[in-house]
Amino acid sequence: MRDVRRALVGVSLRRRTRNRPSPVRATAQAASTSAKPGAGKKRDVKAVTPKSEDFSQWYLDVVREAELVSYGPVRGTMVMRPYGYAIWESIQDWLDKRFKETGHQNAYFPQLIPYSFIAKEADHIEGFSPELALVTKGGGKDLEEPLVVRPTSETIVNHMFAQWIQSYRDLPLLLNQWANVHRWEMRTRPFIRTLEFLWQEGHTAHATAEEAEQETLQMIQIYKEFAEDVAAMPVVVGRKSRIESFAGANCTYTIEAMMSDRKALQAGTSHNLGQNFAKAFGTTFQSESGEEEFVHQSSWGVSTRMIGGIIMTHGDDQGLRLPPRLAPIQVVIIPIWKKLEEKEKVLDAARLLHEAGKQAGLRVHLDMAEGKSPGFKFNFWEMKGVPLRVELGPRDVGSNSCVIARRDRPGKEGKEFGVTLDPEGWVNHVQKALQDVHASLLGSAREFRDANIVDVKSYEELKHAIEEGKWARGGWVGSDEDERRIKEETGASLRCYPFDQPEGPHTCFLTQNVAREVAIFSKSY
C-alpha cells in the first residue's frame, strides 16, 4: 500500500491504493505540490488516464473518481457506493414501472438452489457449470446435496411454477424478480463483469408458443426503449446465433451497444425458452380441451452492466456524462461570492432556484459547501457527470440572470449566459436544456456507432474491419464451426442478426453462398 498525496486548489486529499498509485485529479484549477519538505514547485497531474491512451485504465479511473464503486474484500466483487447505487435505482424505477404497465408482478425466489435443479436441464448445466459457486457446508456440517448460489433462476422458478400452474386459467403467469446473482468470473471489471451483480430477471409461462414468442419480443423492445429513450445509448436489436444464445433457450434476442472504444456490449437479453425447462421440471397445465400440456416460457434480464455501458458510451476525459433521465442529480447550483456582504444575496437567489426546481420535479442540488473554490466544485460535479451546472454570482444576481453550463459540451461552447432568474422561466429553460442534452448524447453516440459499422463481402474484409476495431456486417450462412473459427482467428463474435435488415440480396462473406440475412461481428465485453 502506498499513499498518494495531492492538492486540489489548496485542498489536500489522501488516498490509499492497491499495488500502485492511481492517477490523480487535475484540471486547470488543480495542481499538485511535491510532498518533499520545502518543495513548493507546482506540477500538472492527470485527473484520469485519457481514453486515447488506455481505455481500460480510463474506465477504472472514472468509476473510482466519480465514487461509483469500491473493490470488495473478495477478489472480483465490488461495493456500490451511494452515487453508483442511485444510478441503479433510476434504472430500477423506470423498468419496474414499465414491467407493471405490461402486466408483470414482482416476486422473490431463494438465492440457494439445489444442485440437482441445475443439472435437470442438460444445456443449462453445460452452459453454467464453469461459473457456479457451490455451498457444501451449513451449520458446521456437510450438506447432503450441494447448493448453488443463484447464477440465474430458471430452475427454481420452474420448480415453483410446477406447483402453482394447474390449468389454462392460471396462464399467462408474468413475474419479475429484482435480485443479486453470482457467477464465478475469472476476469472482472466493475459493473461489466463481477462475481456478484444486481439485476432483474423476468420469468413468464404461457399456454401457446405464439404467446411466449410475443412476450419475448415485447421485452426486448422495452429494453431498447429504455436504452435509447432513457440512457441515450443507441442499440442494435437482433437475434443471437445458436452458439451465443442463453443455455437452455430456443432463441435469444439482444440489444447490442457500441462502446466508445468500439467494442460491443450486450446490454440486455430476452430468451424464448420454449418448453425446455417445463419438460425438465414437469411444468404442465390442463388446456381448454382437457389435454395436459407443457407450458411455453420466456425469461429476460438487464443488470448493473447497463451502468458500465452508460459510462463507456458517454464518458470523457473529465469523467462521467450522465443522460439527464438517469442522472441522480440533473442540475447542480453553485453560488459564488468573494465578500461576506455578497453571500446572502447570492444564497437567497440560489435557494429560490433550488426550491423552484424541486417543485417542478427536477433532481436539483444546491452546493453550499464552504472552503472549496468554484473551480474545485466545477471539476467535482463534472466528474460526477451532472448534466447541467448553474453558476450564480453577485453580478448575475444584480442582472437577474445566471450562467448554465452543459456537461455534454465542454468549455465556452456549452455555456449559456444571461439565463433568467425568474423561477418559472428558469425551470422552463432548464427542462428544455435537459431535453437537448439527452438528444445530443444520443445523437453523437448514434453517429459514432453508424460511422464504425462496415459492410463486408469477404472474410479478408471482415478481418480488416476487426483489426481496425470496427463492427463488420455481412451476409452469413456459416456453420457453428465456422463461427467458432472466426472468433478464434479474429477475436470477434457474432453479436446478432439485426432485426433491421438491409435490402438484399445477400451473399455470405465466408462461403459466398446466398444468405437470407446479414449478421454483425465484433469484439466485445
Side-chain angles (χ1 to χ4, degrees), residues 326-340:
L326 272 186
I329 299 172
Q330 296 171 311
V331 185
V332 59
I333 301 171
I334 300 179
I336 304 168
W337 68 88
K338 291 183 179 179
K339 301 175 183 179
L340 191 60

PDB file of all heavy atoms in Angstrom, residues 326-340:
ATOM      1  N   LEU A 326     -31.541   9.686 -16.267  1.00  0.00           N
ATOM      2  CA  LEU A 326     -30.998   8.717 -15.316  1.00  0.00           C
ATOM      3  C   LEU A 326     -30.173   9.370 -14.206  1.00  0.00           C
ATOM      4  O   LEU A 326     -29.950   8.750 -13.169  1.00  0.00           O
ATOM      5  CB  LEU A 326     -30.096   7.715 -16.042  1.00  0.00           C
ATOM      6  CG  LEU A 326     -30.721   6.469 -16.642  1.00  0.00           C
ATOM      7  CD1 LEU A 326     -29.631   5.561 -17.165  1.00  0.00           C
ATOM      8  CD2 LEU A 326     -31.567   5.717 -15.618  1.00  0.00           C
ATOM      9  N   ALA A 327     -29.687  10.563 -14.437  1.00  0.00           N
ATOM     10  CA  ALA A 327     -28.745  11.188 -13.509  1.00  0.00           C
ATOM     11  C   ALA A 327     -29.367  11.377 -12.122  1.00  0.00           C
ATOM     12  O   ALA A 327     -30.464  11.933 -12.013  1.00  0.00           O
ATOM     13  CB  ALA A 327     -28.292  12.535 -14.056  1.00  0.00           C
ATOM     14  N   PRO A 328     -28.693  10.927 -11.055  1.00  0.00           N
ATOM     15  CA  PRO A 328     -29.204  11.152  -9.706  1.00  0.00           C
ATOM     16  C   PRO A 328     -29.393  12.641  -9.408  1.00  0.00           C
ATOM     17  O   PRO A 328     -30.313  13.033  -8.695  1.00  0.00           O
ATOM     18  CB  PRO A 328     -28.121  10.543  -8.812  1.00  0.00           C
ATOM     19  CG  PRO A 328     -27.439   9.531  -9.672  1.00  0.00           C
ATOM     20  CD  PRO A 328     -27.458  10.108 -11.051  1.00  0.00           C
ATOM     21  N   ILE A 329     -28.498  13.468  -9.950  1.00  0.00           N
ATOM     22  CA  ILE A 329     -28.614  14.922  -9.858  1.00  0.00           C
ATOM     23  C   ILE A 329     -28.630  15.451 -11.285  1.00  0.00           C
ATOM     24  O   ILE A 329     -27.690  15.252 -12.041  1.00  0.00           O
ATOM     25  CB  ILE A 329     -27.442  15.537  -9.068  1.00  0.00           C
ATOM     26  CG1 ILE A 329     -27.423  15.002  -7.631  1.00  0.00           C
ATOM     27  CG2 ILE A 329     -27.528  17.065  -9.073  1.00  0.00           C
ATOM     28  CD1 ILE A 329     -26.184  15.404  -6.842  1.00  0.00           C
ATOM     29  N   GLN A 330     -29.705  16.116 -11.659  1.00  0.00           N
ATOM     30  CA  GLN A 330     -29.808  16.648 -13.014  1.00  0.00           C
ATOM     31  C   GLN A 330     -29.210  18.043 -13.128  1.00  0.00           C
ATOM     32  O   GLN A 330     -28.674  18.411 -14.176  1.00  0.00           O
ATOM     33  CB  GLN A 330     -31.278  16.693 -13.452  1.00  0.00           C
ATOM     34  CG  GLN A 330     -31.939  15.328 -13.550  1.00  0.00           C
ATOM     35  CD  GLN A 330     -33.426  15.429 -13.779  1.00  0.00           C
ATOM     36  OE1 GLN A 330     -34.129  16.170 -13.073  1.00  0.00           O
ATOM     37  NE2 GLN A 330     -33.930  14.704 -14.771  1.00  0.00           N
ATOM     38  N   VAL A 331     -29.325  18.811 -12.064  1.00  0.00           N
ATOM     39  CA  VAL A 331     -28.862  20.198 -12.055  1.00  0.00           C
ATOM     40  C   VAL A 331     -28.148  20.466 -10.736  1.00  0.00           C
ATOM     41  O   VAL A 331     -28.685  20.153  -9.663  1.00  0.00           O
ATOM     42  CB  VAL A 331     -30.039  21.192 -12.192  1.00  0.00           C
ATOM     43  CG1 VAL A 331     -29.525  22.619 -12.310  1.00  0.00           C
ATOM     44  CG2 VAL A 331     -30.936  20.827 -13.362  1.00  0.00           C
ATOM     45  N   VAL A 332     -26.951  21.033 -10.806  1.00  0.00           N
ATOM     46  CA  VAL A 332     -26.270  21.468  -9.590  1.00  0.00           C
ATOM     47  C   VAL A 332     -26.131  22.985  -9.651  1.00  0.00           C
ATOM     48  O   VAL A 332     -25.731  23.554 -10.678  1.00  0.00           O
ATOM     49  CB  VAL A 332     -24.890  20.792  -9.426  1.00  0.00           C
ATOM     50  CG1 VAL A 332     -23.959  21.090 -10.593  1.00  0.00           C
ATOM     51  CG2 VAL A 332     -24.248  21.192  -8.104  1.00  0.00           C
ATOM     52  N   ILE A 333     -26.496  23.645  -8.567  1.00  0.00           N
ATOM     53  CA  ILE A 333     -26.416  25.109  -8.474  1.00  0.00           C
ATOM     54  C   ILE A 333     -25.201  25.460  -7.617  1.00  0.00           C
ATOM     55  O   ILE A 333     -25.079  24.983  -6.476  1.00  0.00           O
ATOM     56  CB  ILE A 333     -27.686  25.699  -7.844  1.00  0.00           C
ATOM     57  CG1 ILE A 333     -28.916  25.313  -8.682  1.00  0.00           C
ATOM     58  CG2 ILE A 333     -27.577  27.215  -7.722  1.00  0.00           C
ATOM     59  CD1 ILE A 333     -30.240  25.662  -8.028  1.00  0.00           C
ATOM     60  N   ILE A 334     -24.307  26.278  -8.177  1.00  0.00           N
ATOM     61  CA  ILE A 334     -23.094  26.649  -7.454  1.00  0.00           C
ATOM     62  C   ILE A 334     -23.095  28.155  -7.228  1.00  0.00           C
ATOM     63  O   ILE A 334     -22.832  28.941  -8.158  1.00  0.00           O
ATOM     64  CB  ILE A 334     -21.832  26.217  -8.225  1.00  0.00           C
ATOM     65  CG1 ILE A 334     -21.842  24.695  -8.411  1.00  0.00           C
ATOM     66  CG2 ILE A 334     -20.573  26.679  -7.486  1.00  0.00           C
ATOM     67  CD1 ILE A 334     -20.671  24.155  -9.168  1.00  0.00           C
ATOM     68  N   PRO A 335     -23.411  28.585  -5.998  1.00  0.00           N
ATOM     69  CA  PRO A 335     -23.350  30.018  -5.672  1.00  0.00           C
ATOM     70  C   PRO A 335     -21.898  30.459  -5.488  1.00  0.00           C
ATOM     71  O   PRO A 335     -21.082  29.726  -4.938  1.00  0.00           O
ATOM     72  CB  PRO A 335     -24.139  30.122  -4.376  1.00  0.00           C
ATOM     73  CG  PRO A 335     -24.053  28.769  -3.762  1.00  0.00           C
ATOM     74  CD  PRO A 335     -23.913  27.788  -4.880  1.00  0.00           C
ATOM     75  N   ILE A 336     -21.581  31.662  -5.966  1.00  0.00           N
ATOM     76  CA  ILE A 336     -20.203  32.155  -5.942  1.00  0.00           C
ATOM     77  C   ILE A 336     -20.193  33.550  -5.339  1.00  0.00           C
ATOM     78  O   ILE A 336     -20.966  34.427  -5.757  1.00  0.00           O
ATOM     79  CB  ILE A 336     -19.611  32.205  -7.369  1.00  0.00           C
ATOM     80  CG1 ILE A 336     -19.692  30.823  -8.033  1.00  0.00           C
ATOM     81  CG2 ILE A 336     -18.169  32.704  -7.344  1.00  0.00           C
ATOM     82  CD1 ILE A 336     -19.406  30.842  -9.530  1.00  0.00           C
ATOM     83  N   TRP A 337     -19.351  33.764  -4.349  1.00  0.00           N
ATOM     84  CA  TRP A 337     -19.170  35.099  -3.772  1.00  0.00           C
ATOM     85  C   TRP A 337     -17.756  35.222  -3.231  1.00  0.00           C
ATOM     86  O   TRP A 337     -17.087  34.231  -2.956  1.00  0.00           O
ATOM     87  CB  TRP A 337     -20.184  35.341  -2.644  1.00  0.00           C
ATOM     88  CG  TRP A 337     -19.953  34.498  -1.428  1.00  0.00           C
ATOM     89  CD1 TRP A 337     -19.152  34.779  -0.370  1.00  0.00           C
ATOM     90  CD2 TRP A 337     -20.515  33.210  -1.163  1.00  0.00           C
ATOM     91  NE1 TRP A 337     -19.169  33.758   0.548  1.00  0.00           N
ATOM     92  CE2 TRP A 337     -20.006  32.783   0.087  1.00  0.00           C
ATOM     93  CE3 TRP A 337     -21.400  32.384  -1.860  1.00  0.00           C
ATOM     94  CZ2 TRP A 337     -20.353  31.568   0.645  1.00  0.00           C
ATOM     95  CZ3 TRP A 337     -21.737  31.177  -1.288  1.00  0.00           C
ATOM     96  CH2 TRP A 337     -21.222  30.771  -0.055  1.00  0.00           C
ATOM     97  N   LYS A 338     -17.305  36.472  -3.104  1.00  0.00           N
ATOM     98  CA  LYS A 338     -15.992  36.752  -2.529  1.00  0.00           C
ATOM     99  C   LYS A 338     -16.119  37.484  -1.193  1.00  0.00           C
ATOM    100  O   LYS A 338     -15.415  37.182  -0.240  1.00  0.00           O
ATOM    101  CB  LYS A 338     -15.149  37.588  -3.499  1.00  0.00           C
ATOM    102  CG  LYS A 338     -14.708  36.831  -4.748  1.00  0.00           C
ATOM    103  CD  LYS A 338     -13.814  37.700  -5.617  1.00  0.00           C
ATOM    104  CE  LYS A 338     -13.343  36.937  -6.851  1.00  0.00           C
ATOM    105  NZ  LYS A 338     -12.481  37.793  -7.729  1.00  0.00           N
ATOM    106  N   LYS A 339     -17.014  38.439  -1.162  1.00  0.00           N
ATOM    107  CA  LYS A 339     -17.175  39.256   0.032  1.00  0.00           C
ATOM    108  C   LYS A 339     -18.362  38.770   0.848  1.00  0.00           C
ATOM    109  O   LYS A 339     -19.352  38.307   0.308  1.00  0.00           O
ATOM    110  CB  LYS A 339     -17.370  40.718  -0.356  1.00  0.00           C
ATOM    111  CG  LYS A 339     -16.210  41.295  -1.164  1.00  0.00           C
ATOM    112  CD  LYS A 339     -16.518  42.709  -1.615  1.00  0.00           C
ATOM    113  CE  LYS A 339     -15.389  43.259  -2.492  1.00  0.00           C
ATOM    114  NZ  LYS A 339     -15.690  44.637  -2.969  1.00  0.00           N
ATOM    115  N   LEU A 340     -18.226  38.906   2.170  1.00  0.00           N
ATOM    116  CA  LEU A 340     -19.270  38.424   3.071  1.00  0.00           C
ATOM    117  C   LEU A 340     -20.606  39.088   2.786  1.00  0.00           C
ATOM    118  O   LEU A 340     -21.662  38.452   2.857  1.00  0.00           O
ATOM    119  CB  LEU A 340     -18.848  38.662   4.524  1.00  0.00           C
ATOM    120  CG  LEU A 340     -19.701  37.977   5.598  1.00  0.00           C
ATOM    121  CD1 LEU A 340     -19.670  36.463   5.408  1.00  0.00           C
ATOM    122  CD2 LEU A 340     -19.212  38.341   6.993  1.00  0.00           C
TER     123      LEU A 340
END
